[in-house]
Every structure is written in C-alpha cells, then in structure tokens.
C-alpha cells in the first residue's frame, strides 16, 4: 500500500500525522561512504510535510514537521477508525485541524565567525540588503571581506542561515531566506 497525500501515518516523531505535501530530497553535495554514493543534484529520496492530529494516546494536538519519507508507516484500520470517530464527535477540532496554518521550523546552517563590534555593524548592513532569497555563494559575494573571519570554535559570533531542505536552485544549492548574527 503506497502512502499518499491526505493519509494518516506514524513517523519518527510520536503521534498520528497527516501527510500534507511531498518534496524531492536532493543531494546538496557529493557523498560516498561504503556502498552509498550520490552526486550533488541527485534525487536521493523525498521530504514529507506532516500535520499532527493526535498524540499516541489520541489526545488532540496540532503540530507540523517534515521528515524523510522512509520514516512513514501506515496506520492500522482500528486507529484510522478512531481518528474518524474523534473528528465526527468533535467537529470544532476537525475544523481547527483542517484549517490550521502550516508552521514549519526552518533548517539552520551555522557559520562560526570572529567579528569586532564595528564588523558586526558592517555585516548587519549587508545582511539587511540581501534579497528575499539567496544562495551561500551570493551571500559571500556581498560579504567577501568577512570570509577571512571564519574560524573554528570558539568564536565571538555565529552566522545562522535559514531555509528548508528542499529549497534549492537548479544547481542543487540551498536557497536561504534569512541570515542573522548571533553573539556567543
């Protein structure tokens, strides 16, 4: 039985989830370890976006997540019947669940960096002028003078770049939608 959008499933996170979207999982770098190998740009699986409806004890709980599709398992008919019964007996929760706004936690890519206070101000000005979406290469073209400040920890600051793992350009480069400087 193939799992499809709209199905209720279990995942690596506890509870009962509804599959609401499927995105390709694309390699963002070459990889080789034993018999597992892929090249940057290869489709290596699927990301699935999930909406939680219930805890494992059938307590209503709305949440969102995304995981590799290999973690999904179909529910037994008894659990599916229980979900449908709960929705029938609790139409307000069913409405709330069906209309919940999707809120996914982004992936954060960190970059360890040492900055003086004046460099923080200068780099923050560059960050504020970034387009709504950008690759890491586009970021470093604008902030190239700060590349020399990248070091291994301990450092004074972190650059945190935010995205979703399926948000990529045609060359399999992650496309970020946020960057912030964090003082350590």
């Amino acid at each position: 039985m193939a799992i499809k959008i709209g199905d209720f499933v279990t995942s690596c996170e506890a509870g009962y989830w509804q599959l609401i979207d499927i995105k390709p999982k694309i390699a963002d770098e070459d990889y080789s370890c034993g018999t597992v190998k892929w090249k940057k740009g290869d489709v290596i699986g699927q990301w699935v976006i999930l909406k939680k409806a219930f805890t494992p004890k059938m307590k209503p709980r709305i949440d969102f997540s995304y995981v590799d599709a290999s973690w999904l398992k179909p529910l037994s008919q008894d659990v599916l019947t229980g979900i449908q019964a709960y929705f029938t007996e609790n139409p307000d929760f069913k409405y709330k669940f069906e209309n919940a706004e999707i809120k996914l936690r982004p992936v954060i890519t960190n970059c360890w960096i040492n900055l003086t206070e004046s460099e923080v101000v200068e780099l923050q000005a560059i960050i504020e002028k970034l387009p709504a979406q950008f690759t890491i290469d586009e970021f470093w073209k604008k902030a190239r003078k700060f590349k020399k400040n990248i070091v291994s920890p301990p450092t004074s600051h972190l650059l945190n770049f935010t995205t979703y793992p399926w948000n990529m350009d045609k060359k399999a480069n992650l496309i970020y939608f946020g960057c912030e400087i964090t003082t350590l």
Side-chain angles (χ1 to χ4, degrees):
M1 174 176 136
I3 297 171
K4 61 190 180 311
I5 292 175
D7 287 352
F8 281 89
V9 296
T10 60
S11 175
C12 56
E13 297 182 50
Y16 303 123
W17 301 78
Q18 185 178 45
L19 174 58
I20 58 174
D21 202 0
I22 300 170
K23 306 277 187 187
K25 186 175 188 178
I26 299 170
D28 62 351
E29 61 184 26
D30 294 348
Y31 178 82
S32 179
C33 183
T35 60
V36 178
K37 297 177 186 188
W38 58 71
K39 295 283 186 196
K40 182 177 181 176
D42 288 351
V43 177
I44 58 173
Q46 294 177 318
W47 290 109
V48 291
I49 300 173
L50 304 170
K51 184 182 347 179
K52 187 175 195 172
F54 300 98
T55 69
K57 295 183 179 184
M58 286 299 293
K59 303 260 190 247
R61 168 105 194 275
I62 298 173
D63 197 4
F64 297 90
S65 187
Y66 51 91
V67 299
D68 186 284
S70 65
W71 287 102
L72 300 187
K73 304 280 185 259
L75 298 182
S76 70
Q77 190 56 52
D78 287 347
V79 174
L80 289 171
T81 300
I83 288 171
Q84 290 309 317
Y86 192 93
F87 282 150
T88 300
E89 295 165 14
N90 299 278
D92 290 344
F93 176 72
K94 180 180 181 189
Y95 178 84
K96 185 177 175 183
F97 175 77
E98 289 175 346
N99 294 286
E101 179 185 353
I102 299 170
K103 295 179 183 177
L104 297 170
R105 291 176 277 302
V107 170
I108 298 175
T109 302
N110 324 76
C111 178
W112 298 92
I113 191 165
N114 273 332
L115 299 168
T116 65
E117 287 309 309
S118 63
E119 288 173 324
V120 168
V121 171
E122 190 177 348
L123 186 55
Q124 186 60 45
I126 292 169
I127 291 169
E128 289 171 7
K129 292 178 184 171
L130 287 171
Q133 296 194 18
F134 57 91
T135 65
I136 205 75
D137 289 341
E138 292 166 339
F139 173 82
W140 287 117
K141 281 180 187 173
K142 296 180 183 300
R144 71 179 148 270
K145 90 175 239 183
F146 295 102
K147 273 198 118 167
K148 67 181 177 9
N149 298 57
I150 298 171
V151 293
S152 296
T155 62
S156 63
H157 294 84
L158 268 179
L159 288 176
N160 293 319
F161 299 92
T162 52
T163 191
Y164 295 107
W166 52 84
N167 195 16
M168 297 184 149
D169 66 13
K170 292 180 183 189
K171 295 180 181 176
N173 296 307
L174 286 168
I175 300 173
Y176 295 94
F177 55 79
C179 178
E180 68 177 17
I181 303 170
T182 302
T183 303
L184 300 176

